[in-house]
């Protein structure tokens, strides 16, 4: 169902893909937006190793939510910061592209668990995360991306 990478020699392992999902702070979610136009949005996220899913948080309404309600198929792309080899101008970047289906998390306790784990990726303390949760819990929506296919690629900009 999913295409194999055309430039397979640049493909990285699933382990490397997961490492990037765990360590990088942001990615870009692509959905099928209004009138068939793609809609992409940069998002903070959390990859949960226990269930192999990606979690996001955000508002309960808007363009992204409208698109997801119409079509749950999405792609999500994350890139690392890259590196340069000694005495070379070209940047080497590893990207991960995830294909999957996304849905709203409707269970309140699961929402709190996943949103707080996401918060711990960005906030300095668990207390700060708990404070944010208490202030936003009535307005926040948690989204769960079930990964169906994932590839990663190391690219040299030369």
């Amino acid at each position: 169902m999913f295409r194999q990478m055309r430039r397979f020699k640049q493909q990285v392992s699933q382990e490397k893909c997961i490492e990037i999902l765990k360590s990088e702070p942001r990615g870009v979610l692509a959905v099928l937006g209004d009138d068939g136009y793609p809609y992409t949005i940069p998002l903070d996220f959390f990859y949960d190793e226990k269930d192999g899913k990606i979690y996001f948080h955000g508002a309960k309404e808007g363009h992204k939510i409208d698109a997801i309600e119409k079509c749950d198929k999405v792609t999500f792309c994350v890139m690392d910061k890259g590196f340069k080899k000694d005495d070379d101008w070209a940047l080497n970047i590893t990207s991960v592209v995830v294909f999957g289906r996304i849905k709203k998390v409707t269970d309140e306790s699961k929402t709190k668990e996943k949103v707080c784990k996401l918060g711990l990726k960005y906030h300095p303390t668990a207390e700060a995360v708990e404070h944010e949760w208490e202030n936003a819990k009535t307005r926040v929506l948690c989204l769960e991306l079930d990964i169906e296919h994932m590839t990663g690629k190391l690219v040299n900009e030369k």
Side-chain angles (χ1 to χ4, degrees):
M1 172 169 35
F2 294 100
R3 293 180 183 206
Q4 296 301 312
M5 280 184 51
R6 187 177 60 82
R7 309 223 24 215
F8 61 88
K9 289 182 181 178
Q10 294 173 301
Q11 189 165 352
V12 299
S13 68
Q14 293 293 292
E15 292 78 19
K16 180 66 175 174
C17 291
I18 289 169
E19 177 187 319
I20 289 169
L21 290 177
K22 287 170 39 182
S23 64
E24 292 304 320
R26 276 163 215 82
V28 178
L29 182 71
V31 297
L32 185 59
D34 295 344
D35 297 322
Y37 283 97
Y39 176 65
T40 59
I41 185 158
L43 294 172
D44 296 343
F45 69 98
F46 164 68
Y47 174 77
D48 192 331
E49 281 189 278
K50 288 183 183 177
D51 63 16
K53 296 181 181 182
I54 301 172
Y55 293 90
F56 310 92
H57 76 293
K60 294 181 178 182
E61 58 186 32
H63 192 166
K64 173 180 67 204
I65 302 305
D66 292 345
I68 289 167
E69 288 175 350
K70 291 178 187 171
C71 180
D72 68 344
K73 292 179 181 177
V74 300
T75 58
F76 184 61
C77 180
V78 178
M79 295 185 302
D80 69 5
K81 293 166 191 62
F83 66 92
K84 291 183 181 180
K85 295 178 182 174
D86 290 341
D87 298 322
D88 196 358
W89 64 266
L91 193 60
N92 296 271
I93 298 173
T94 303
S95 62
V96 176
V97 176
V98 171
F99 294 84
R101 294 181 180 261
I102 196 166
K103 67 179 181 180
K104 296 177 183 179
V105 176
T106 56
D107 179 82
E108 196 173 310
S109 63
K110 184 175 181 179
T111 295
K112 180 179 181 183
E113 173 198 350
K114 300 304 181 182
V115 169
C116 287
K117 284 184 178 181
L118 191 154
L120 287 171
K121 185 175 175 181
Y122 302 95
H123 286 74
T125 65
E127 292 79 20
V129 172
E130 186 63 32
H131 177 74
E132 288 294 320
W133 171 256
E134 288 302 320
N135 286 336
K137 66 183 175 185
T138 60
R139 299 181 317 277
V140 75
L141 173 67
C142 182
L143 296 169
E144 175 183 277
L145 174 52
D146 185 16
I147 299 171
E148 295 181 326
H149 184 70
M150 176 170 60
T151 58
K153 179 166 69 171
L154 174 61
V155 175
N156 180 284
E157 290 184 330
K158 269 191 201 176

